[in-house]
Amino acid sequence: MNDSADAFAPAAWIEIARESAAQGFDMPSENRACSLLRLLVASKPGGRILELGTGTGLATAWLAAGLGESAQPVSVDVDPKWQSIARRRLGDDPRVEFVLSDGLDFLRAQPPASFDLIFADAMPGKYEGLHDALSRVKVGGFYVGDDMLPQANWPEGQQARADGLIAELSALDGWTTTVLAWGSGLVLAVRRH
């Protein structure tokens, strides 16, 4: 069995991947992690989905591939250069909303328990404002953080931050958490109450 998800990649992902590489984007979401995101999103067919850190839209393409017709996904990023790639490749999908904003500012403007899934692919919502993000997840909803395994572009001390995040999520009352040493490394938590 081959655990690569590339063979199942959405068509939009292929174009985004090409353009991302040509533009020198060096923070891509890993496809195995993204294929799991597609599965989780599919379990919330009418759900509100939040992606913190659009980047060029590589994960956004996978999220969109799992969406039901009535889903309401929002992808937030602070960098217009990278997000513009996602907007060009995915902007025709009326379900996907792109927001150019600081992720933490966006989170704090949202009502409690307003998302069925939050994918924290950026510092806001993961290492900054974790509890802001967690408070926006509905009961039965998912919180997903990626890049828990060492990455080539990690600054010094990043492994300790990732380990701290996993420990904090694992200790939360009312949540069930698991860690996957797969792809870029994932931490997943589901809100029980």
Side-chain angles (χ1 to χ4, degrees):
M1 180 170 80
N2 180 349
D3 73 348
S4 171
D6 291 356
F8 304 104
W13 178 86
I14 295 165
E15 295 302 317
I16 293 170
R18 276 192 207 123
E19 190 169 350
S20 297
Q23 296 285 330
F25 185 70
D26 68 349
M27 297 179 289
S29 295
E30 200 276 331
N31 265 358
R32 287 172 290 182
C34 291
S35 70
L36 180 60
L37 285 172
R38 177 178 59 183
L39 177 87
L40 294 174
V41 167
S43 77
K44 308 290 183 187
R48 264 192 100 210
I49 311 300
L50 175 61
E51 177 184 32
L52 293 167
T54 309
T56 59
L58 291 162
T60 318
W62 283 91
L63 288 167
L67 295 173
E69 288 304 314
S70 61
Q72 301 169 6
V74 179
S75 186
V76 180
D77 205 293
V78 72
D79 191 326
K81 175 185 177 184
W82 298 127
Q83 194 184 66
S84 69
I85 294 171
R87 286 174 183 264
R88 275 195 306 278
R89 300 296 180 182
L90 299 167
D92 290 342
D93 187 332
R95 299 168 302 174
V96 181
E97 177 185 356
F98 291 102
V99 175
L100 192 58
S101 172
D102 175 80
L104 202 49
D105 291 343
F106 181 85
L107 265 176
R108 290 179 174 158
Q110 304 308 303
S114 54
F115 292 98
D116 294 285
L117 182 143
I118 293 179
F119 173 46
D121 192 25
M123 296 298 170
K126 188 162 39 175
Y127 299 113
E128 303 161 4
L130 173 64
H131 291 278
D132 292 304
L134 294 174
S135 71
R136 273 49 177 199
V137 176
K138 295 178 182 179
V139 171
F142 296 100
Y143 172 88
V144 181
D146 70 344
D147 300 331
M148 295 293 109
L149 292 174
Q151 309 291 308
N153 61 354
W154 271 12
E156 188 173 325
Q158 185 62 26
Q159 186 65 60
R161 290 182 85 188
D163 293 344
L165 174 66
I166 291 167
E168 188 170 355
L169 287 168
S170 297
L172 288 174
D173 183 44
W175 291 78
T176 298
T177 302
T178 193
V179 179
L180 298 176
W182 184 63
S184 63
L186 295 164
V187 60
L188 292 93
V190 64
R191 186 175 196 159
R192 295 192 325 263
H193 56 77

